[in-house]
Coordinates of all heavy atoms in Angstrom, one line a residue:
M206 N 41.7 106.0 134.8 CA 43.0 105.8 134.2 C 43.7 107.1 134.2 O 43.2 108.2 134.0 CB 42.8 105.3 132.8 CG 44.2 105.3 132.0 SD 44.0 104.8 130.3 CE 44.1 103.1 130.4
S207 N 45.0 107.1 134.5 CA 45.9 108.3 134.5 C 46.7 108.3 133.2 O 46.9 107.3 132.5 CB 46.7 108.4 135.7 OG 47.7 107.3 135.8
Y208 N 47.1 109.5 132.8 CA 47.8 109.7 131.6 C 49.1 110.4 132.0 O 49.2 111.3 132.9 CB 47.0 110.6 130.6 CG 45.8 109.9 130.2 CD1 44.6 110.1 131.0 CD2 45.7 109.0 129.1 CE1 43.4 109.5 130.6 CE2 44.6 108.4 128.8 CZ 43.5 108.6 129.6 OH 42.2 107.9 129.2
I209 N 50.2 110.0 131.3 CA 51.5 110.5 131.6 C 52.1 111.3 130.5 O 52.0 110.9 129.3 CB 52.4 109.3 132.0 CG1 51.9 108.5 133.2 CG2 53.9 109.7 132.2 CD1 52.5 107.2 133.4
V210 N 52.6 112.4 130.8 CA 53.5 113.2 129.9 C 54.9 113.0 130.4 O 55.3 113.4 131.5 CB 53.1 114.7 129.9 CG1 54.0 115.5 129.1 CG2 51.6 114.9 129.4
D211 N 55.8 112.6 129.4 CA 57.2 112.4 129.8 C 58.0 112.9 128.6 O 57.5 113.2 127.6 CB 57.4 110.9 130.0 CG 58.6 110.7 131.0 OD1 59.3 111.6 131.3 OD2 58.9 109.5 131.4
I212 N 59.3 112.9 128.8 CA 60.2 113.3 127.7 C 61.2 112.2 127.4 O 61.6 111.5 128.4 CB 60.9 114.7 128.1 CG1 61.7 115.2 126.9 CG2 61.9 114.5 129.3 CD1 61.9 116.8 127.0
E213 N 61.6 112.1 126.2 CA 62.4 111.0 125.8 C 63.8 111.1 126.4 O 64.3 110.1 126.9 CB 62.6 111.1 124.2 CG 63.4 110.1 123.6 CD 63.4 110.3 122.1 OE1 63.7 111.4 121.6 OE2 63.1 109.3 121.4
K214 N 64.4 112.3 126.4 CA 65.7 112.5 127.1 C 65.8 114.0 127.5 O 65.2 114.8 126.8 CB 66.9 112.1 126.2 CG 67.1 113.0 124.9 CD 68.2 112.6 124.1 CE 68.4 113.4 122.9 NZ 69.6 113.1 122.1
Q215 N 66.4 114.2 128.5 CA 66.5 115.6 129.0 C 67.9 116.2 128.6 O 68.9 115.9 129.2 CB 66.4 115.7 130.5 CG 64.9 115.3 130.9 CD 64.7 115.7 132.4 OE1 65.4 116.5 132.9 NE2 63.7 115.1 132.9
C216 N 67.8 117.1 127.5 CA 69.0 117.8 127.1 C 69.3 118.9 128.2 O 68.4 119.1 129.1 CB 68.8 118.4 125.8 SG 67.5 119.7 125.7
G217 N 70.4 119.6 128.1 CA 70.7 120.6 129.0 C 69.7 121.7 129.1 O 69.4 122.1 130.3
C218 N 69.0 122.1 128.1 CA 68.0 123.1 128.1 C 66.8 122.6 129.0 O 66.2 123.4 129.7 CB 67.5 123.5 126.7 SG 68.8 124.4 125.8
V219 N 66.4 121.4 128.8 CA 65.3 120.9 129.6 C 65.6 120.9 131.0 O 64.8 121.3 131.9 CB 64.9 119.5 129.1 CG1 63.8 118.8 130.0 CG2 64.3 119.5 127.7
K220 N 66.8 120.4 131.3 CA 67.3 120.4 132.8 C 67.3 121.8 133.4 O 66.8 122.0 134.5 CB 68.6 119.7 132.9 CG 68.6 118.3 132.6 CD 70.0 117.7 132.6 CE 70.0 116.2 132.2 NZ 71.3 115.6 132.2
K221 N 67.8 122.8 132.6 CA 67.8 124.1 133.1 C 66.4 124.7 133.3 O 66.3 125.6 134.1 CB 68.6 125.0 132.1 CG 70.1 124.8 132.1 CD 70.8 125.6 131.1 CE 72.2 125.1 130.8 NZ 72.8 125.9 129.7
S222 N 65.5 124.3 132.5 CA 64.1 124.9 132.6 C 63.4 124.6 133.9 O 62.5 125.3 134.3 CB 63.2 124.3 131.4 OG 62.9 123.0 131.7
G223 N 63.9 123.5 134.5 CA 63.3 123.1 135.8 C 61.9 122.4 135.7 O 61.3 122.0 136.7
V224 N 61.5 122.1 134.5 CA 60.3 121.3 134.3 C 60.5 119.9 134.8 O 61.5 119.2 134.4 CB 59.8 121.3 132.9 CG1 58.6 120.5 132.6 CG2 59.5 122.7 132.4
Q225 N 59.6 119.4 135.6 CA 59.8 118.1 136.2 C 59.0 117.0 135.4 O 57.8 117.3 135.1 CB 59.3 118.1 137.7 CG 60.1 119.0 138.6 CD 61.5 118.5 138.8 OE1 61.8 117.4 139.0 NE2 62.4 119.5 138.6
F226 N 59.6 116.0 135.1 CA 59.0 114.8 134.4 C 59.1 113.6 135.2 O 60.1 113.4 135.9 CB 59.7 114.6 133.0 CG 59.3 115.7 132.0 CD1 60.3 116.7 131.8 CD2 58.1 115.7 131.3 CE1 60.0 117.8 130.9 CE2 57.9 116.7 130.4 CZ 58.8 117.7 130.2
P227 N 58.2 112.6 135.1 CA 57.0 112.7 134.3 C 55.9 113.5 135.1 O 56.0 113.8 136.2 CB 56.6 111.2 134.3 CG 57.2 110.6 135.5 CD 58.4 111.4 135.8
K228 N 54.9 113.9 134.2 CA 53.7 114.6 134.7 C 52.5 113.7 134.6 O 52.4 113.0 133.6 CB 53.5 115.9 134.0 CG 54.6 116.9 134.1 CD 54.3 118.1 133.3 CE 55.2 119.3 133.6 NZ 54.9 119.9 134.8
T229 N 51.6 113.7 135.6 CA 50.5 112.7 135.6 C 49.2 113.6 135.5 O 49.1 114.6 136.2 CB 50.5 111.9 136.8 OG1 51.7 111.1 136.9 CG2 49.4 110.8 136.8
F230 N 48.3 113.1 134.7 CA 47.0 113.8 134.5 C 45.9 112.8 134.5 O 46.0 111.6 134.2 CB 46.9 114.5 133.1 CG 47.9 115.5 133.0 CD1 49.2 115.3 132.6 CD2 47.6 116.9 133.3 CE1 50.2 116.3 132.5 CE2 48.6 117.9 133.2 CZ 49.9 117.6 132.8
E231 N 44.7 113.2 135.0 CA 43.5 112.2 135.0 C 42.7 112.3 133.8 O 41.9 111.4 133.5 CB 42.6 112.7 136.2 CG 43.3 112.5 137.6 CD 43.6 111.1 137.9 OE1 42.8 110.2 137.6 OE2 44.7 110.9 138.4
N232 N 43.0 113.2 132.9 CA 42.2 113.5 131.7 C 43.2 113.5 130.5 O 44.1 114.2 130.5 CB 41.5 114.8 131.9 CG 40.7 115.2 130.7 OD1 41.2 115.4 129.6 ND2 39.4 115.4 130.9
L233 N 42.8 112.8 129.5 CA 43.6 112.7 128.2 C 43.8 114.1 127.5 O 44.9 114.4 127.1 CB 43.1 111.7 127.2 CG 43.8 111.5 125.9 CD1 45.3 111.2 126.1 CD2 43.1 110.6 125.0
E234 N 42.7 114.8 127.5 CA 42.8 116.1 126.8 C 43.7 117.1 127.6 O 44.4 117.8 126.9 CB 41.3 116.7 126.7 CG 40.5 116.1 125.7 CD 41.1 116.0 124.4 OE1 41.7 117.0 123.9 OE2 41.1 114.9 123.7
E235 N 43.7 117.0 128.9 CA 44.7 117.9 129.7 C 46.1 117.5 129.4 O 47.0 118.3 129.3 CB 44.3 117.8 131.2 CG 43.1 118.5 131.6 CD 42.9 118.3 133.1 OE1 43.8 118.1 133.9 OE2 41.7 118.2 133.6
A236 N 46.3 116.1 129.3 CA 47.7 115.7 129.1 C 48.1 116.1 127.7 O 49.3 116.5 127.5 CB 47.7 114.1 129.2
K237 N 47.2 116.0 126.7 CA 47.6 116.4 125.3 C 47.9 117.9 125.3 O 48.9 118.3 124.6 CB 46.5 116.1 124.4 CG 46.3 114.7 124.0 CD 45.1 114.5 123.0 CE 45.1 113.0 122.5 NZ 44.0 112.8 121.5
K238 N 47.1 118.7 125.9 CA 47.3 120.2 126.0 C 48.7 120.5 126.6 O 49.4 121.3 126.1 CB 46.2 120.9 126.7 CG 44.9 121.0 125.9 CD 43.8 121.7 126.7 CE 42.5 121.7 126.0 NZ 41.5 122.4 126.8
E239 N 49.0 119.8 127.7 CA 50.3 120.1 128.4 C 51.4 119.7 127.6 O 52.4 120.4 127.5 CB 50.2 119.4 129.7 CG 51.5 119.6 130.5 CD 51.8 121.0 131.1 OE1 50.8 121.8 131.0 OE2 52.8 121.2 131.6
A240 N 51.4 118.5 127.0 CA 52.5 118.0 126.1 C 52.6 118.9 125.0 O 53.8 119.3 124.7 CB 52.1 116.6 125.7
A241 N 51.6 119.3 124.3 CA 51.7 120.2 123.1 C 52.3 121.6 123.5 O 53.2 122.1 122.9 CB 50.4 120.4 122.4
A242 N 51.8 122.1 124.6 CA 52.3 123.4 125.1 C 53.8 123.4 125.5 O 54.6 124.3 125.2 CB 51.5 123.8 126.3
L243 N 54.2 122.3 126.2 CA 55.6 122.1 126.5 C 56.5 122.0 125.3 O 57.5 122.7 125.1 CB 55.8 120.9 127.4 CG 55.4 121.1 128.9 CD1 55.4 119.8 129.6 CD2 56.2 122.1 129.5
A244 N 56.1 121.2 124.3 CA 56.8 121.0 123.1 C 57.0 122.4 122.4 O 58.0 122.7 121.9 CB 56.2 119.9 122.2
E245 N 55.8 123.1 122.2 CA 55.9 124.4 121.6 C 56.8 125.4 122.3 O 57.6 126.0 121.7 CB 54.5 124.9 121.5 CG 54.4 126.3 120.8 CD 53.0 126.8 120.6 OE1 52.0 126.1 120.9 OE2 52.9 128.0 120.2
E246 N 56.7 125.4 123.6 CA 57.5 126.3 124.4 C 59.0 126.0 124.2 O 59.9 126.8 124.1 CB 57.2 126.2 125.9 CG 58.1 127.0 126.8 CD 57.7 126.9 128.3 OE1 56.7 126.4 128.6 OE2 58.6 127.1 129.1
F247 N 59.3 124.7 124.3 CA 60.8 124.2 124.1 C 61.3 124.6 122.8 O 62.4 125.1 122.6 CB 60.9 122.7 124.4 CG 60.5 122.2 125.8 CD1 60.4 120.9 126.1 CD2 60.4 123.1 126.8 CE1 60.2 120.4 127.3 CE2 60.1 122.6 128.1 CZ 60.0 121.3 128.3
N248 N 60.5 124.4 121.7 CA 60.9 124.7 120.3 C 61.1 126.2 120.2 O 62.0 126.6 119.4 CB 59.9 124.2 119.3 CG 59.9 122.7 119.0 OD1 61.1 122.2 119.0 ND2 58.8 122.0 118.9
E249 N 60.3 127.0 120.9 CA 60.4 128.5 120.7 C 61.5 129.1 121.6 O 62.1 130.2 121.1 CB 59.1 129.2 121.0 CG 58.0 128.8 119.9 CD 56.6 129.4 120.3 OE1 56.5 130.0 121.4 OE2 55.7 129.2 119.5
T250 N 61.8 128.6 122.7 CA 62.6 129.3 123.6 C 64.0 128.6 123.9 O 64.9 129.3 124.4 CB 62.0 129.4 125.0 OG1 61.7 128.1 125.6 CG2 60.6 130.2 124.9
F251 N 64.2 127.4 123.5 CA 65.4 126.7 123.8 C 66.5 127.1 122.7 O 66.2 127.8 121.8 CB 65.3 125.2 124.0 CG 64.6 124.8 125.2 CD1 64.3 123.4 125.4 CD2 64.2 125.7 126.2 CE1 63.7 123.0 126.6 CE2 63.7 125.3 127.4 CZ 63.4 123.9 127.6
C252 N 67.7 126.5 122.8 CA 68.8 126.9 122.0 C 68.7 126.5 120.6 O 69.7 126.8 119.8 CB 70.1 126.2 122.6 SG 70.2 124.5 122.5
K253 N 67.8 125.8 120.1 CA 67.5 125.4 118.7 C 68.4 124.2 118.3 O 68.4 123.9 117.0 CB 67.7 126.6 117.8 CG 66.9 127.9 118.1 CD 65.4 127.6 118.0 CE 64.7 128.9 118.2 NZ 63.5 128.8 119.0
K254 N 69.2 123.6 119.2 CA 69.9 122.4 118.8 C 69.0 121.2 118.5 O 69.3 120.3 117.8 CB 70.9 122.0 119.8 CG 72.3 122.8 119.8 CD 73.1 122.4 121.0 CE 74.2 121.5 120.7 NZ 75.1 121.3 121.9
H255 N 67.9 121.2 119.3 CA 66.9 120.1 119.2 C 65.6 120.6 118.8 O 65.2 121.8 118.9 CB 66.8 119.4 120.6 CG 68.1 118.8 121.1 ND1 68.8 119.5 122.1 CD2 68.8 117.7 120.7 CE1 69.9 118.7 122.3 NE2 69.9 117.7 121.5
N256 N 64.7 119.6 118.3 CA 63.3 120.0 118.1 C 62.5 119.0 118.9 O 63.0 117.9 119.2 CB 63.0 120.0 116.5 CG 63.2 118.6 115.9 OD1 62.7 117.6 116.4 ND2 64.0 118.6 114.9
F257 N 61.3 119.4 119.2 CA 60.5 118.7 120.2 C 59.1 118.4 119.5 O 58.5 119.3 119.1 CB 60.4 119.4 121.5 CG 61.7 119.7 122.1 CD1 62.4 120.9 121.8 CD2 62.2 118.8 123.1 CE1 63.6 121.1 122.4 CE2 63.4 119.2 123.7 CZ 64.1 120.3 123.4
Q258 N 58.8 117.1 119.5 CA 57.5 116.7 119.0 C 56.8 115.7 119.9 O 57.5 115.0 120.7 CB 57.6 116.0 117.7 CG 58.2 116.9 116.6 CD 58.4 116.1 115.3 OE1 57.9 115.0 115.1 NE2 59.3 116.6 114.4
V259 N 55.5 115.7 120.0 CA 54.8 114.8 120.9 C 54.3 113.5 120.2 O 53.9 113.6 119.0 CB 53.5 115.5 121.5 CG1 52.7 114.6 122.4 CG2 53.9 116.8 122.3
E260 N 54.6 112.4 120.8 CA 54.1 111.1 120.3 C 53.2 110.5 121.4 O 53.6 110.4 122.5 CB 55.3 110.2 120.0 CG 55.0 108.9 119.5 CD 56.2 108.1 119.1 OE1 56.9 108.4 118.1 OE2 56.5 107.2 119.9
E261 N 52.1 110.0 120.9 CA 51.1 109.4 121.8 C 51.1 107.9 121.6 O 51.1 107.3 120.5 CB 49.7 109.9 121.5 CG 48.7 109.4 122.4 CD 47.3 110.0 122.2 OE1 47.2 111.0 121.4 OE2 46.3 109.5 122.7
N262 N 51.2 107.2 122.8 CA 51.2 105.7 122.8 C 50.5 105.3 124.0 O 51.0 105.4 125.2 CB 52.7 105.2 122.8 CG 52.8 103.7 122.6 OD1 51.7 103.1 122.5 ND2 54.0 103.3 122.7
D263 N 49.3 104.7 123.8 CA 48.4 104.3 124.9 C 48.1 105.5 125.9 O 47.6 106.5 125.4 CB 48.9 103.1 125.7 CG 49.1 101.9 124.8 OD1 48.1 101.7 123.9 OD2 50.0 101.1 124.9
N264 N 48.5 105.3 127.1 CA 48.2 106.4 128.1 C 49.4 107.3 128.3 O 49.5 108.1 129.3 CB 47.7 105.8 129.4 CG 48.8 105.0 130.1 OD1 49.6 104.4 129.6 ND2 48.7 105.1 131.5
T265 N 50.4 107.2 127.5 CA 51.7 108.0 127.6 C 51.9 108.9 126.5 O 51.8 108.5 125.3 CB 52.9 107.1 127.8 OG1 52.7 106.2 129.0 CG2 54.2 107.9 128.0
L266 N 52.1 110.2 126.7 CA 52.5 111.1 125.7 C 53.9 111.5 125.9 O 54.3 112.0 127.0 CB 51.6 112.4 125.8 CG 50.2 112.1 125.3 CD1 49.3 111.9 126.6 CD2 49.6 113.3 124.5
T267 N 54.8 111.2 124.9 CA 56.2 111.3 125.1 C 56.7 112.5 124.2 O 56.3 112.5 123.0 CB 56.9 110.1 124.7 OG1 56.5 109.0 125.5 CG2 58.5 110.3 124.9
I268 N 57.4 113.4 124.8 CA 58.0 114.5 124.0 C 59.3 114.0 123.5 O 60.2 113.6 124.2 CB 58.2 115.7 124.8 CG1 56.8 116.3 125.4 CG2 58.9 116.8 124.1 CD1 57.0 117.4 126.4
K269 N 59.3 113.8 122.1 CA 60.5 113.2 121.5 C 61.5 114.4 121.2 O 61.0 115.5 120.8 CB 60.0 112.5 120.1 CG 59.2 111.3 120.3 CD 60.0 110.2 120.9 CE 59.3 108.9 120.8 NZ 60.1 107.8 121.1
V270 N 62.7 114.0 121.3 CA 63.8 115.1 121.1 C 64.6 114.6 119.9 O 65.2 113.5 119.9 CB 64.7 115.1 122.4 CG1 65.8 116.2 122.1 CG2 63.9 115.4 123.6
G271 N 64.6 115.5 118.9 CA 65.4 115.3 117.6 C 66.4 116.4 117.4 O 66.3 117.4 118.0
M272 N 67.4 116.1 116.6 CA 68.4 117.1 116.3 C 67.9 118.0 115.1 O 67.3 117.6 114.2 CB 69.7 116.4 115.8 CG 70.3 115.5 116.9 SD 70.8 116.5 118.4 CE 72.2 117.4 117.7
N273 N 68.2 119.3 115.3 CA 67.9 120.3 114.2 C 69.0 120.2 113.2 O 70.1 119.9 113.4 CB 67.7 121.7 114.7 CG 66.3 121.9 115.1 OD1 65.4 121.2 114.7 ND2 66.1 122.9 115.9

């Protein structure tokens, strides 16, 4: 089974970052690590208009985008 890391919506900062979505992984732990790392990076380095959190649903980890 493959696991997918995707983002709910791509704000301008995500688009400018050049990170391509969706990302596919063969291992759930790798997918979780990548999703958490991306959410943390986005929260620390982007413009602070949005906050990013990971939500897990079956084989998909979605980075949710909320307003600050």
Side-chain angles (χ1 to χ4, degrees):
M206 174 184 273
S207 62
Y208 299 90
I209 298 167
V210 173
D211 207 352
I212 191 158
E213 181 178 55
K214 65 179 180 177
Q215 291 195 18
C216 65
C218 290
V219 172
K220 290 177 183 175
K221 289 177 195 173
S222 75
V224 177
Q225 298 294 310
F226 290 98
K228 296 177 170 285
T229 305
F230 298 84
E231 295 300 318
N232 178 301
L233 178 59
E234 288 306 313
E235 288 179 29
K237 284 182 176 183
K238 284 180 186 177
E239 178 69 8
L243 286 170
E245 182 178 350
E246 177 185 339
F247 294 171
N248 281 321
E249 290 177 358
T250 62
F251 287 177
C252 68
K253 309 292 186 220
K254 275 174 104 174
H255 299 105
N256 60 56
F257 302 86
Q258 298 177 17
V259 178
E260 181 178 285
E261 187 176 345
N262 188 2
D263 296 324
N264 68 326
T265 302
L266 290 97
T267 303
I268 299 173
K269 296 286 192 172
V270 182
M272 295 299 290
N273 270 343

